[in-house]
């Protein structure tokens, strides 16, 4: 359902039938509904669920049958999910076409390839390059903080969201028991605006094209400490 936070309470505004979270049209509809019924100066999308970022194969050499390069895997819809192209298109095809902050509450989303794919549909990404605890973000603390926001920059807001999450897993935090080793929990913020102004995406694209053009040479330097996976347009180097 769609819930509205009213003080310390959640009010169900709209009851939904079983939605396939892996269908981009549903993401677009949800954005459009929010914009129409709750217009705001800034928009944040939180996508919570299993994620694989840009990883095509979780373990090098393993022919995985699981969903790859995706997020929001729906176990009730034959494990359908939003791949990175669908996530991009779901936002782009909405009435606003772009959000201020895209918060992916999922594993392995903090990759340069993910940022590259989503560069035109969000100003700021809040994500993690690591495996994240299944309990997800501290939405109680996040929504309480968002209720105090006035005119902060999107990057500051995203940083506060990640701070809420990190603090919840620290000793004494609301979710500390769920992540006994805080050193394994990583939360990051990526500002697309700065990346674009510095030409980062064009440099990244040029580097990828160069590496791919010499993939046979690169493969010669694959030692036990490195496993290189290649596919049509992209390369992932796994450092163990």
């Amino acid at each position: 359902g769609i819930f509205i936070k009213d003080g310390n309470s959640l009010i169900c505004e709209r009851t939904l039938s079983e939605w396939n979270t892996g269908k981009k049209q549903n993401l677009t509809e949800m954005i459009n509904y929010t914009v129409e019924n709750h217009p705001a100066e800034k928009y944040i999308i939180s996508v919570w669920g299993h994620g694989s970022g840009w990883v095509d194969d979780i373990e090098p050499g393993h022919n995985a049958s699981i969903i790859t390069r995706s997020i929001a895997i729906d176990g009730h819809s034959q494990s359908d999910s939003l791949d990175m192209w669908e996530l991009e298109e779901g936002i782009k095809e909405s009435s606003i076409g772009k959000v201020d902050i895209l918060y992916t509450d999922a594993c392995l989303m903090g990759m340069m390839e993910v940022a590259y794919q989503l560069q035109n549909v969000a100003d700021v990404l809040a994500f993690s390059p690591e495996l994240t605890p299944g309990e997800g973000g501290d939405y109680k603390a996040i929504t309480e903080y968002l209720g105090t926001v006035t005119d902060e920059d999107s990057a500051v807001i995203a940083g506060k969201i990640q701070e809420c999450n990190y603090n919840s897993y620290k000793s004494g935090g609301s979710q500390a028991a769920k992540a006994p080793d805080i050193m394994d929990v990583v939360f990051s913020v990526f500002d697309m605006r700065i990346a674009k102004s510095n030409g980062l995406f064009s440099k990244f694209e040029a580097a990828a094209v160069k590496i791919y053009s010499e993939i046979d040479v690169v493969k010669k330097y694959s030692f036990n400490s490195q496993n290189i996976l290649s596919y049509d347009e992209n390369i992932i180097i796994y450092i163990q």
Side-chain angles (χ1 to χ4, degrees), residues 20-170:
N20 177 2
T21 59
K23 187 177 180 181
K24 71 173 185 176
Q25 290 85 352
N26 287 340
L27 173 61
T28 303
E29 182 178 341
M30 183 65 72
I31 296 172
N32 290 344
Y33 177 90
T34 301
V35 172
E36 180 180 351
N37 292 279
H38 303 282
E41 293 182 6
K42 289 182 181 291
Y43 292 97
I44 303 172
I45 294 178
S46 172
V47 184
W48 183 12
H50 294 296
S52 59
W54 202 258
V55 178
D56 186 52
D57 196 348
I58 299 301
E59 296 179 9
H62 172 61
N63 184 20
S65 59
I66 63 173
I67 303 299
T68 55
R69 298 188 207 167
S70 63
I71 193 173
I73 300 171
D74 192 330
H76 296 283
S77 301
Q78 299 180 322
S79 294
D80 193 10
S81 63
L82 291 171
D83 63 36
M84 293 302 99
W85 295 272
E86 291 175 316
L87 180 57
E88 176 192 23
E89 291 168 357
I91 299 172
K92 183 185 296 184
E93 293 171 5
S94 71
S95 58
I96 52 176
K98 184 179 184 181
V99 296
D100 296 278
I101 300 171
L102 175 56
Y103 167 36
T104 54
D105 189 359
C107 298
L108 305 174
M109 298 301 293
M111 299 182 178
M112 185 61 197
E113 294 92 338
V114 172
Y116 178 87
Q117 187 66 38
L118 302 174
Q119 61 180 288
N120 294 319
V121 295
D123 282 338
V124 178
L125 296 179
F127 52 19
S128 173
E130 263 290 355
L131 299 179
T132 57
E135 286 68 25
D138 186 351
Y139 287 95
K140 182 177 185 297
I142 290 172
T143 53
E144 288 176 353
Y145 160 68
L146 292 177
T148 70
V149 171
T150 53
D151 59 351
E152 285 91 338
D153 182 75
S154 296
V156 174
I157 296 172
K160 289 292 186 180
I161 289 173
Q162 298 293 48
E163 185 179 330
C164 289
N165 293 332
Y166 183 79
N167 288 338
S168 75
Y169 289 108
K170 288 172 61 177

